Amino acid sequence: MVTRGVLFDFSGTLFRIEPVRDWLAAVLREECVDVPAEDFERYVTGLTEAGALPGGPPPLRVPDRLADAMARRDLTPALHREAYTGLARTVALPDPGLYDALYARHMRPEAWQAYPDAVEVLEGLREAGIAVGVVSNIGWDLRPVFRAHGLDGLVDAYALSFEHGLQKPAMELFRIACALIGRDPADVVMVGDNRVADGGAAALGCEVRFVDHLPVPERPDGLRSLGLVPA
């Protein structure tokens, strides 16, 4: 196979969201809410177990009232907000305004960090003339994250679930992504961290390669090791 295009997942593949501890601490500072250390630790544990941080640890249990919103969360911004603020509200925080502030924080560029080899790999693909797309199950526009981190100029197109009303592993979302970068699926590699969602590209004829969804310091060369850039 001659690779003419590469599609990347966003969260856990090119970028990683900040840890729950940092997420909560940043919002408490911004909202000028002081809490005792023991309460802070309790909130961190509760939000982690609830799966309240999009892109963070999954919930240990989804309340029945949120099951539908969670299942379809990446189809619309409203469902995404409903699902994650709902999960956060299962934890009793000291100020009711914190729930919306936490949700808003996760969409800001400073809440995300690119994996160490992301720029190198994307630059290598650009220099080799290989088209690049981003395919993400997401309920908000991630383009500002790429712009803020200097990666937007290395991406040719974005296929975002909420913009098309489709969630991975739906084959049609990958078909749209291939069309947007102008490449035949048989010439495209899909790179992601989720065997089910990202693996859906295989049904379209794409080759699929996986990375591990690890904290940034623990995955310095996961993308580089895939051999996407021609030698």
Side-chain angles (χ1 to χ4, degrees):
M1 170 186 175
V2 176
T3 301
R4 302 186 186 281
V6 179
L7 302 176
F8 291 95
D9 172 53
F10 167 56
S11 176
T13 299
L14 290 175
F15 283 86
R16 170 88 178 201
I17 191 68
E18 64 190 340
V20 173
R21 177 179 301 276
D22 297 352
W23 175 55
L24 176 61
V27 170
L28 291 175
R29 286 194 304 269
E30 292 165 0
E31 298 297 310
C32 299
V33 176
D34 293 320
V35 299
E38 60 271 22
D39 288 347
F40 177 78
E41 295 301 328
R42 179 162 49 84
Y43 300 145
V44 169
T45 298
L47 290 168
T48 300
E49 293 179 350
L53 174 58
L60 294 185
R61 185 185 69 84
V62 176
D64 290 343
R65 68 182 185 280
L66 295 174
D68 181 65
M70 278 297 290
R72 301 188 302 122
R73 64 188 181 276
D74 296 315
L75 293 176
T76 71
L79 283 168
H80 195 270
R81 176 181 287 274
E82 176 188 349
Y84 283 106
T85 58
L87 291 174
R89 289 179 191 280
T90 64
V91 181
L93 297 179
D95 186 317
L98 290 174
Y99 300 106
D100 286 336
L102 285 168
Y103 184 80
R105 165 78 187 181
H106 101 274
M107 295 185 286
R108 286 160 48 181
E110 58 266 36
W112 295 87
Q113 185 176 0
Y115 280 96
D117 53 350
V119 172
E120 173 191 331
V121 169
L122 291 178
E123 286 180 342
L125 293 171
R126 174 54 54 90
E127 291 171 3
I130 298 173
V132 170
V134 171
V135 189
S136 178
N137 279 352
I138 197 163
W140 50 275
D141 187 0
L142 52 72
R143 294 174 182 86
V145 175
F146 280 77
R147 286 196 292 270
H149 288 269
L151 273 64
D152 184 61
L154 302 173
V155 176
D156 296 296
Y158 298 85
L160 309 182
S161 60
F162 81 97
E163 293 182 335
H164 299 282
L166 295 164
Q167 292 183 154
K168 296 182 293 186
M171 186 173 63
E172 186 59 26
L173 188 59
F174 298 106
R175 191 190 309 278
I176 290 169
C178 289
L180 287 172
I181 65 171
R183 297 294 187 268
D184 187 299
D187 300 327
V188 172
V189 176
M190 173 66 204
V191 178
D193 66 292
N194 188 303
R195 264 62 178 175
V196 175
D198 300 312
L204 188 63
C206 299
E207 181 181 335
V208 184
R209 303 180 192 178
F210 296 102
V211 290
D212 294 321
H213 189 153
L214 294 171
V216 167
E218 297 177 25
R219 212 195 75 194
D221 60 356
L223 295 167
R224 187 186 306 115
S225 67
L226 296 179
L228 299 168
V229 180

